[in-house]
């Protein structure tokens, strides 16, 4: 799996938009970009996945530039409950394979 | 969505004893399950891949005789930490996929193991 680089931590306030960028310079042609969220003492939870351009769901948006060497997870109007660690993963989209987690980004949302 | 459960959610044991952690796929049959370990303030590290009906595949550095994995049915995988030591204290998490066509993995809630 392609290695990813994310900021270690970010701070924000309630109601703000948060953008977390992930760098994956060695992404392969068939790799997808997936983001997971993990609260303390819980297992990670799938947030969003994309291959190129923009993907949006009820929770977040994922922006992927044309060269796909980076991606940005956008969380609109964060709340205190969005305080968590966010992991960016890159890999193939088929087959049963384990996930390789990087260090993740610890997001702290303040009131 | 799919649900994966783990039992127990937390356990405290004494050094030298063994502890069994169960991982169940509640919504679908899981031929493959993954076991991860997470130390405080660190990321998840894959320990092993559990395959139904066959031996588990362990990652480099993970002792297969210490971390026994059994995947006897399509909905249950167990991880037994044998002769536990304080350094085995960690958060153990399992995961699985609904099918080969989906990259999304479903994680269990995790099991906090404390060895005294």
């Amino acid at each position: 799996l392609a290695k990813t680089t994310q900021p270690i931590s970010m701070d924000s306030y309630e109601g703000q938009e948060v953008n977390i960028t992930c760098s994956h310079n060695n992404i392969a042609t068939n790799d997808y970009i997936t983001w997971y969220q993990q609260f303390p003492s819980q297992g990670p939870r799938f947030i969003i996945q994309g291959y190129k351009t923009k993907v949006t769901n009820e929770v977040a948006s994922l922006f992927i530039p044309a060269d796909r060497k980076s991606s940005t997870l956008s969380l609109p109007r964060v709340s205190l409950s969005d305080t968590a660690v966010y992991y960016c993963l890159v890999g193939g989209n088929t087959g049963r394979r384990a996930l390789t987690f990087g260090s993740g980004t610890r997001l702290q949302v303040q009131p | 969505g799919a649900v994966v459960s783990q039992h127990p959610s937390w356990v405290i044991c004494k050094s030298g004893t063994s502890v069994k952690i169960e991982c169940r796929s509640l919504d679908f049959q899981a031929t493959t399950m993954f076991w991860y370990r997470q130390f405080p303030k660190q990321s998840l590290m894959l320990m092993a891949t559990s395959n139904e009906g066959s031996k588990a595949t362990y990652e480099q550095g993970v002792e297969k005789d210490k971390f026994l994995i059994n995947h006897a049915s399509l909905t249950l995988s167990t991880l037994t930490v044998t002769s536990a030591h304080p350094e085995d204290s960690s958060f153990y998490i399992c995961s699985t996929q609904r099918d080969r066509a989906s990259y999304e993995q479903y994680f269990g809630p995790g099991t906090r193991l404390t060895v005294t």
Side-chain angles (χ1 to χ4, degrees), chain B:
Chain B
V3 177
V4 177
S5 70
Q6 284 185 238
H7 178 79
S9 56
W10 60 271
V11 58
I12 301 173
C13 71
K14 293 185 177 181
S15 289
T17 62
S18 296
V19 173
K20 179 184 287 187
I21 302 170
E22 295 184 347
C23 176
R24 292 182 184 274
S25 174
L26 303 181
D27 286 358
F28 58 91
Q29 296 180 333
T31 57
T32 302
M33 289 184 174
F34 305 101
W35 286 95
Y36 297 83
R37 180 167 55 181
Q38 185 175 35
F39 293 106
K41 303 292 186 183
Q42 295 186 23
S43 186
L44 285 80
M45 294 295 294
L46 178 67
M47 298 177 65
T49 300
S50 170
N51 300 299
E52 187 269 336
S54 64
K55 292 183 179 180
T57 302
Y58 292 82
E59 294 300 298
Q60 189 173 8
V62 178
E63 301 175 54
K64 63 178 181 180
D65 294 329
K66 179 172 181 61
F67 299 98
L68 302 179
I69 291 175
N70 185 290
H71 195 153
S73 78
L74 289 172
T75 60
L76 173 65
S77 175
T78 61
L79 168 67
T80 301
V81 183
T82 63
S83 187
H85 289 171
E87 55 264 33
D88 297 324
S89 297
S90 187
F91 192 53
Y92 293 86
I93 311 170
C94 67
S95 75
T96 188
Q97 286 172 245
R98 181 180 294 277
D99 53 54
R100 297 180 65 87
S102 172
Y103 187 66
E104 179 178 349
Q105 287 205 8
Y106 299 93
F107 287 83
T111 297
R112 175 77 59 191
L113 170 63
T114 302
V115 184
T116 62

